[in-house]
C-alpha cells in the first residue's frame, strides 16, 4: 500500500460508497488480465483490488484515513474472519473473469439465466452458539446492477432476438473433410447462448443486469445450532442474468474448539481435578458455565473414584429450537495425589492407614528423619 489508495481508485477522499464501487468497476474492466494484455495488467488489477478491499470496508477505511495504513495488516489480521469458502475460493478477480466471459454455457448449451447458489463458512464460538448471535459476512458476488436495476437495459433499450443465432442460443458450422461434411454446434458468441440480445445495453453492466460487487449481509444464528448445520439466505447468491432469479447464500456453521468444554449433542463435557480428601469425603465444586457469569455447582459424591463422571442436569447447551431447554453437563473427575506431604499430613495419613488396617512402606531416609526430629 505504498501508493495512495484513493489515487489508485481515481476518487477523492470524500467519495461516497457508491462512487467507490463505480470507480472500482470502471477501472477493473480496463485492467483485468482477461481484457488488458499489458505485461503489468495483473499487478495493476491486484493493486486495484487491494485498494477496493480497504476503501469498501467502513472500518478499514476509517483506519486508513486516520493512520495512512491498516494496523495489523502485516500480520495478516482480518476484521472479518468468518468467511471460509466461496465457490471453492471464488474472489473478485474470478467474478470479473466470469463477468467478462458473459453467461458461461458449455459447448452447444444454452446459457444459464438463473443465478447460482453460493456457499460460505461461518466460524462461531461455543458461547456464541449458546447465546445466539448476529454476524456480518462480507463476500464478493455478481449482484444486480444498481444502474438498470438488473434489467441490463439502458434508457429506451429492449431485448430482441439475436440476429446471429435467430434465438437458438447456438450456431452450427459445417466443415468439409475428406470423410464428408462435419457439423459443429457451439454457443452463440453474440448472445452467449441466451438467444436474446439488447439493442441498447446498460453501460454499467454491459447488458448483463449484474455486476461484480462486495456484499454485506447480517446472519442471525439461532441458539443451539450444531456444527455443520446450514442456513439458507434466499436471493443473496449470484444474481441472475437480466432480472432472472438470484441464487441463495448457503451459510455452513463451523464451531471452533473450546478451551474447557467439549460438546456432545446438547451436552457439555469438562474435566476438573480434586484432592484425595475431596474424593473421600465428597465436595461441592463451583465451576464456570457456558454463559458469561454463569456459575455451576458440581456435587462430588463421597467416595468418588478417579475418572468418574458426575452429571449436573440442565447446565449443558441450549437445545436447537428447544424453547430454552438445555442439555446436561458431565464432569470428568481426576483425583490428584500430592507428590509431597508435610510432616503433619504424613502423620495423619499414617494414622488413617493404621485405622483402616493398611500397610504402608516407610520410604523416608535417615537424613529426613533427623531433619523431622529437629523440626
Amino acid at each position: 500500500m505504498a501508493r495512495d489508495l484513493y489515487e489508485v481508485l481515481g476518487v477523492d477522499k470524500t467519495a461516497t460508497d457508491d462512487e467507490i464501487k463505480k470507480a472500482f468497476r470502471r477501472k477493473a474492466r480496463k485492467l483485468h488480465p482477461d481484457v488488458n494484455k499489458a505485461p503489468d495488467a495483473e499487478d495493476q488489477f491486484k493493486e486495484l483490488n487491494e485498494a477496493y478491499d480497504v476503501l469498501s470496508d467502513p472500518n478499514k477505511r476509517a483506519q486508513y484515513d486516520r493512520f495512512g495504513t491498516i494496523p495489523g495488516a502485516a500480520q495478516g489480521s482480518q476484521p472479518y474472519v468468518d468467511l471460509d469458502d466461496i465457490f471453492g475460493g471464488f474472489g473478485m478477480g474470478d467474478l470479473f473473469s466470469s463477468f467478462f466471459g458473459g453467461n458461461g454455457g458449455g459447448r452447444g448449451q444454452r446459457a444459464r439465466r438463473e443465478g447460482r447458489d453460493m456457499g460460505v463458512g461461518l466460524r462461531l464460538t461455543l458461547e456464541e452458539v449458546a447465546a445466539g448471535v448476529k454476524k456480518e459476512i462480507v463476500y464478493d458476488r455478481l449482484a444486480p446492477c444498481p444502474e438498470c436495476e438488473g434489467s441490463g437495459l439502458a434508457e429506451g433499450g429492449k431485448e430482441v432476438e439475436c440476429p446471429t443465432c435467430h434465438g437458438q442460443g447456438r450456431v452450427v458450422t459445417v466443415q468439409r473433410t475428406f470423410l464428408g461434411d462435419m457439423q459443429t454446434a457451439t454457443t452463440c458468441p453474440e448472445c452467449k447462448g441466451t438467444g436474446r440480445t439488447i439493442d441498447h445495453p446498460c453501460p454499467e453492466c454491459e447488458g448483463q443486469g449484474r455486476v461484480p460487487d462486495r456484499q454485506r449481509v447480517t446472519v442471525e444464528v439461532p441458539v443451539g445450532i450444531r456444527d455443520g448445520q446450514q442456513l439458507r439466505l434466499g436471493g443473496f447468491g449470484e444474481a441472475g442474468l437480466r432480472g432472472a432469479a438470484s441464487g441463495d447464500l448457503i451459510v455452513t456453521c463451523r464451531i471452533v474448539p473450546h478451551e474447557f468444554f467439549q460438546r456432545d449433542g446438547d451436552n457439555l463435557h469438562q474435566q476438573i481435578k480434586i484432592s484425595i480428601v475431596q474424593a473421600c469425603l465428597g465436595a461441592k465444586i463451583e465451576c464456570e458455565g457456558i454463559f458469561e457469569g454463569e456459575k455451576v455447582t458440581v456435587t462430588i459424591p463421597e467416595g468418588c473414584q478417579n475418572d468418574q463422571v458426575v452429571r449436573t442436569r440442565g447446565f449443558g447447551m441450549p437445545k436447537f429450537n428447544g424453547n430454552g431447554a438445555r442439555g446436561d453437563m458431565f464432569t470428568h473427575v481426576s483425583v490428584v495425589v500430592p507428590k509431597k506431604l508435610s510432616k503433619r499430613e504424613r502423620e495423619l495419613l499414617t494414622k488413617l492407614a493404621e485405622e483402616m488396617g493398611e500397610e504402608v512402606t516407610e520410604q523416608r531416609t535417615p537424613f529426613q528423619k533427623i531433619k523431622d526430629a529437629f523440626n
Side-chain angles (χ1 to χ4, degrees):
M1 293 189 293
R3 288 183 60 190
D4 181 86
L5 301 188
Y6 292 98
E7 180 184 342
V8 173
L9 282 176
V11 296
D12 296 330
K13 290 188 176 182
T14 58
T16 65
D17 291 343
D18 287 340
E19 290 172 339
I20 287 175
K21 288 181 179 182
K22 289 181 180 180
F24 169 71
R25 287 196 289 261
R26 183 171 59 251
K27 297 197 72 172
R29 281 198 286 264
K30 295 179 180 179
L31 295 177
H32 195 278
D34 284 357
V35 294
N36 191 328
K37 302 306 177 183
D40 61 343
E42 186 173 348
D43 292 335
Q44 290 188 60
F45 182 78
K46 182 179 178 181
E47 183 182 47
L48 180 70
N49 204 11
E50 290 174 349
Y52 182 64
D53 182 65
V54 173
L55 298 185
S56 64
D57 185 317
N59 295 326
K60 290 182 181 180
R61 184 179 180 182
Q63 289 181 326
Y64 178 75
D65 290 341
R66 183 177 179 182
F67 302 106
T69 183
I70 304 300
Q75 289 74 35
S77 62
Q78 295 288 341
Y80 301 102
V81 296
D82 305 324
L83 200 57
D84 184 32
D85 183 59
I86 304 176
F87 285 147
F90 221 53
M92 187 63 83
D94 299 297
L95 287 175
F96 265 101
S97 295
S98 177
F99 177 77
F100 291 124
N103 312 311
R107 186 173 182 177
Q109 296 178 344
R110 182 176 291 273
R112 176 191 180 104
R113 294 185 64 91
E114 297 78 14
R116 295 173 295 179
D117 291 342
M118 299 181 67
V120 297
L122 182 61
R123 295 184 179 91
L124 301 164
T125 66
L126 205 56
E127 288 85 354
E128 289 173 333
V129 173
V133 67
K134 292 183 179 180
K135 286 278 191 175
E136 184 181 57
I137 294 179
V138 183
Y139 63 106
D140 298 330
R141 72 160 181 157
L142 288 175
C145 175
E147 294 297 316
C148 63
E149 298 181 348
S151 68
L153 304 174
E155 186 175 354
K158 62 180 181 298
E159 275 197 8
V160 296
E161 182 182 277
C162 175
T164 301
C165 66
H166 303 291
Q168 297 301 309
R170 59 182 182 174
V171 293
V172 178
T173 57
V174 179
Q175 184 178 5
R176 296 185 181 277
T177 69
F178 69 93
L179 296 175
D181 293 345
M182 297 187 64
Q183 291 187 348
T184 303
T186 59
T187 300
C188 176
E190 181 69 22
C191 66
K192 304 297 189 298
T194 64
R196 309 285 291 177
T197 59
I198 296 176
D199 54 3
H200 296 294
C202 168
E204 182 70 16
C205 64
E206 299 179 357
Q208 290 196 37
R210 55 188 182 181
V211 291
D213 201 359
R214 188 147 294 163
Q215 181 77 50
R216 298 175 184 274
V217 59
T218 299
V219 181
E220 187 169 354
V221 181
V223 170
I225 197 166
R226 303 286 183 87
D227 183 66
Q229 276 190 270
Q230 294 180 329
L231 304 173
R232 182 179 288 268
L233 305 182
F236 282 94
E238 182 184 72
L241 184 68
R242 297 174 195 160
S246 296
D248 298 337
L249 180 67
I250 301 172
V251 182
T252 302
C253 295
R254 295 298 182 189
I255 304 173
V256 299
H258 195 272
E259 184 179 4
F260 303 112
F261 295 114
Q262 286 189 338
R263 185 182 186 185
D264 178 19
D266 296 322
N267 299 320
L268 289 175
H269 292 256
Q270 66 168 347
Q271 289 186 335
I272 64 170
K273 296 179 180 179
I274 63 173
S275 69
I276 55 174
V277 175
Q278 291 173 320
C280 292
L281 302 180
K284 291 186 181 294
I285 308 295
E286 188 174 76
C287 304
E288 299 289 336
I290 191 61
F291 291 101
E292 183 178 357
E294 183 180 52
K295 302 296 181 181
V296 181
T297 300
V298 178
T299 301
I300 305 298
E302 182 178 320
C304 183
Q305 302 298 304
N306 189 52
D307 291 333
Q308 185 169 331
V309 180
V310 178
R311 183 176 189 173
T312 308
R313 297 184 181 276
F315 284 95
M317 289 292 294
K319 297 184 178 181
F320 184 67
N321 293 331
N323 298 321
R326 296 176 64 176
D328 299 333
M329 179 181 290
F330 292 86
T331 302
H332 299 253
V333 178
S334 296
V335 180
V336 179
V337 179
K339 294 182 179 180
K340 294 182 180 180
L341 295 173
S342 67
K343 180 182 177 182
R344 178 61 176 164
E345 289 170 341
R346 178 173 290 277
E347 291 175 352
L348 292 173
L349 285 177
T350 301
K351 290 181 180 180
L352 178 62
E354 293 175 353
E355 183 72 22
M356 299 179 68
E358 296 181 356
E359 294 184 1
V360 294
T361 303
E362 180 58 61
Q363 296 180 341
R364 300 186 63 74
T365 65
F367 176 76
Q368 289 173 326
K369 293 178 181 179
I370 293 172
K371 185 178 177 182
D372 288 345
F374 280 103
N375 292 333

